[in-house]
C-alpha cells in the first residue's frame, strides 16, 4: 500500500485498503475511517459502499 501513497495515488490506496479490510473482516471503525477518506476525496460511490459496512 505504501507504493500507492508514495506516488500520490490515493484512490488506488483506498481500493487496496478496502481489499485488505475485506480479507480480515475489519471492524466498523475501519470502515468509518475509509468512508471519511472517500468523502474527503469526493468518491461518493466508495463512501456509500463503506457506509453500508457500518
Amino acid at each position: 500500500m505504501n507504493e500507492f501513497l508514495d506516488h500520490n495515488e490515493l484512490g488506488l490506496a483506498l481500493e487496496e485498503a478496502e481489499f485488505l479490510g475485506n480479507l480480515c473482516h475489519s471492524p466498523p471503525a475501519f470502515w468509518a475511517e475509509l468512508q471519511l477518506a472517500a468523502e474527503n476525496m469526493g468518491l461518493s460511490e466508495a463512501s456509500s459502499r463503506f457506509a453500508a459496512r457500518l
Side-chain angles (χ1 to χ4, degrees):
M1 187 157 88
N2 286 338
E3 64 192 62
F4 297 132
L5 296 174
D6 290 342
H7 298 300
N8 200 28
E9 296 185 21
L10 298 178
L12 292 175
L14 189 69
E15 289 176 12
E16 184 71 10
E18 179 181 15
F19 174 77
L20 294 172
N22 285 324
L23 281 179
C24 62
H25 308 287
S26 294
F30 174 83
W31 300 107
E33 290 296 323
L34 285 189
Q35 180 190 18
L36 181 60
E39 286 176 6
N40 286 333
M41 290 189 283
L43 302 173
S44 58
E45 184 178 315
S47 176
S48 296
R49 205 168 52 243
F50 302 144
R53 303 294 302 258
L54 298 176

